[in-house]
Amino acid sequence: DIFLHGFTTRTGGISYIPTLSSFNLFSSSKRRDPKVVVQENLRRLGNAVGFNVEKFYRIKTDHANDVWIMGRKEPESYDGITTNQRGVTIAALGADCIPIVFADPVRKSCGVAHAGWRGTLLGVAMATVNAMITEYGCNLEDIIVVLGPSVGPCCFTLPRESAKEFHSLDPECVRLFDSPNPYIDIRKATRILLERGGILPQNIQDLNQDLDLCTSCHPDKFFSHVRDGLNFGTQIGFISIRE
């Protein structure tokens, strides 16, 4: 009743470049989907969901842990946003990285975070939670967290040096640790860090519907940097407080 929220897939838009087709929601100098095409995709999403695209804000990704508290000065880059403003939609990008959505129905505030492997290790998820606690007086036990679709441990590898940090966090986050490029479970790592930070296990949701599907394994449903290379499309996780 309080929030509009969801996660997009790759279908239903007008993007025509193969790796970006058809519902890509991000354009840059490296990923050359015409801005007008991305804007039309966003308009379609706003119409379908019922939010105002004029009040839509995407994370400016830096693969770090800075959080923009809306209403304060906007940093040059940030991987989290929090707000308690009604009618504003905030969104986290994802194309293997996890788009995470946060909601506190008691304090009526929300947040989003973009968690790739670097951001996960840097604690971007708990940085977003802590911003909500500090800024809006949220209580840990009231905050609900949903992990959107991301690359799974079936498809995501890192060089052993980087994998060591995940192994130190919890050995269960790493498979084939003795290989040159072990497989990494960024979802499990994110959940562990949230639980250690005090988020209730039952308030972390990622196993309903298709949210735990691997983006790389499902080319029909999702964009994936791991699978598609440099000119990859982007899906989002979004949330807004109803007006």
Side-chain angles (χ1 to χ4, degrees), residues 17 48-49 54 61 67 72 95 102 112 143 160 182 184 186 202 218 228 231:
I17 298 164
V49 176
E54 301 299 321
T61 303
V67 178
R72 294 197 183 177
F102 306 80
V112 291
I143 297 174
R160 193 147 180 269
I184 307 297
I186 57 172
Q202 64 268 31
H218 292 85
D228 296 335
N231 203 28

Side-chain angles (χ1 to χ4, degrees), residues 28-48:
S28 70
S29 57
K30 290 179 182 171
R31 292 188 268 157
R32 299 190 174 187
D33 207 7
K35 284 202 162 84
V36 66
V37 168
V38 173
Q39 201 56 34
E40 170 58 18
N41 288 344
L42 181 62
R43 187 193 68 78
R44 290 183 176 201
L45 179 62
N47 276 1

Side-chain angles (χ1 to χ4, degrees), residues 4 52 55 70 75 81 112 126 130 150 154 176 180 189-191 200 207:
L4 286 173
N52 181 359
K55 296 181 181 177
M70 195 167 276
I81 308 176
V112 291
M126 276 310 298
N130 290 331
S150 68
C154 42
L176 303 179
T190 298
R191 177 178 275 278
L200 300 177
L207 294 174

Side-chain angles (χ1 to χ4, degrees), residues 85-203:
Q85 296 176 27
R86 293 177 179 274
V88 166
T89 303
I90 54 177
L93 312 174
D96 293 331
C97 299
I98 317 170
I100 312 176
V101 168
F102 306 80
D104 181 346
V106 178
R107 291 288 180 175
K108 295 185 173 55
S109 59
C110 59
V112 291
H114 159 271
W117 71 267
R118 289 185 183 87
T120 296
L121 290 173
L122 288 169
V124 67
M126 276 310 298
T128 308
V129 167
N130 290 331
M132 290 173 68
I133 291 167
T134 304
E135 197 66 17
Y136 315 122
C138 299
N139 293 309
L140 274 168
E141 60 270 22
D142 297 327
I143 297 174
I144 297 159
V145 186
V146 187
L147 311 186
S150 68
V151 70
C154 42
C155 295
F156 184 57
T157 64
L158 281 174
R160 193 147 180 269
E161 274 306 303
S162 301
K164 279 180 185 172
E165 292 189 65
F166 283 93
H167 195 268
S168 299
L169 177 64
D170 189 312
E172 288 203 357
C173 295
V174 184
R175 196 159 50 84
L176 303 179
F177 182 56
D178 292 329
S179 69
N181 294 286
Y183 287 85
I184 307 297
D185 191 338
I186 57 172
R187 300 180 75 79
K188 187 182 286 288
T190 298
R191 177 178 275 278
I192 287 166
L193 288 167
L194 285 165
E195 288 184 17
R196 285 183 190 172
I199 297 290
L200 300 177
Q202 64 268 31
N203 283 356

